[in-house]
Amino acid sequence: MSVQERKQRERAERERLIVATARELAEEQGWDAVTTRRLAERIEYSQPVLYSHFRGKREIIGAVALQGAAELAAELRGASAEAEAEAGVGASASVEGVRGRVTALARAYLDFAERNPAVYDAMFQLDGGLAFAAEDTPEALKDGFAALLETLRDVAGEGVEPGLFTEVFWASLHGLATLTRAGRLPVGDAERRVVLLVSRLAVV
């Protein structure tokens, strides 16, 4: 390994540590607790070292958001694939099979938001300097949307543009996740809401 390659690997490892530590601190104490000073103390780097990787908290939030988007996309695809496998050959194309995949997708999304509140905030509530729905939207964010679209395009309904339907379905999931976390919706009815959302929006 050349000196340059070693330096690049060390730099990438430092960046991963900074992002992981910021994420851990945010999940423990909220994003207000994430400062460059506290991060420097936790990972035992100087603040100038942190600034050589990220220009400030905004860029760190953006890095956490991109990491979260990749994880969410993987979980959504995994949930849909598992539901399809459980339905079995042939059955996966039936009304029950298709709705089963959409239901699994919705549950996986809401579960991710519940398990990772600080990451979810970085993705959708805080300013991480990332563009959404634009030409310069980062690939990880585009892939997160694609993971929804891959399953939801099958239930958009005749004459409905799948991307537009996916936006509406996603907005519904985001609303459920946000309102439930804020204590605005009774927790006990979470599953009934998923069933209602899928049965009313998903056209099979």
Side-chain angles (χ1 to χ4, degrees), residues 26 29 36 38-39 50 52 54 57 64 71 79 90 110 114 121 127-128 132 137 139-140 154 158 172 187 195:
Q29 302 177 35
T36 53
R38 293 193 70 181
L39 285 175
L50 262 70
S52 72
F54 299 98
K57 182 175 177 178
V64 171
E71 292 174 6
L110 295 173
E114 182 181 4
D121 282 349
D127 179 12
F132 282 79
T137 298
E139 286 304 315
D154 294 335
E158 186 177 350
S172 299
V187 178
V195 172

Side-chain angles (χ1 to χ4, degrees), residues 71-83:
E71 292 174 6
L72 176 58
E75 291 194 19
L76 294 177
R77 289 188 173 106
S80 182
E82 184 176 343

Side-chain angles (χ1 to χ4, degrees), residues 44-88:
E44 298 181 343
Y45 288 157
S46 67
Q47 285 182 280
V49 170
L50 262 70
Y51 283 118
S52 72
H53 291 272
F54 299 98
R55 286 177 290 184
K57 182 175 177 178
R58 184 174 184 239
E59 284 194 358
I60 294 172
I61 289 172
V64 171
L66 293 177
Q67 188 180 77
E71 292 174 6
L72 176 58
E75 291 194 19
L76 294 177
R77 289 188 173 106
S80 182
E82 184 176 343
E84 185 171 17
E86 288 177 358

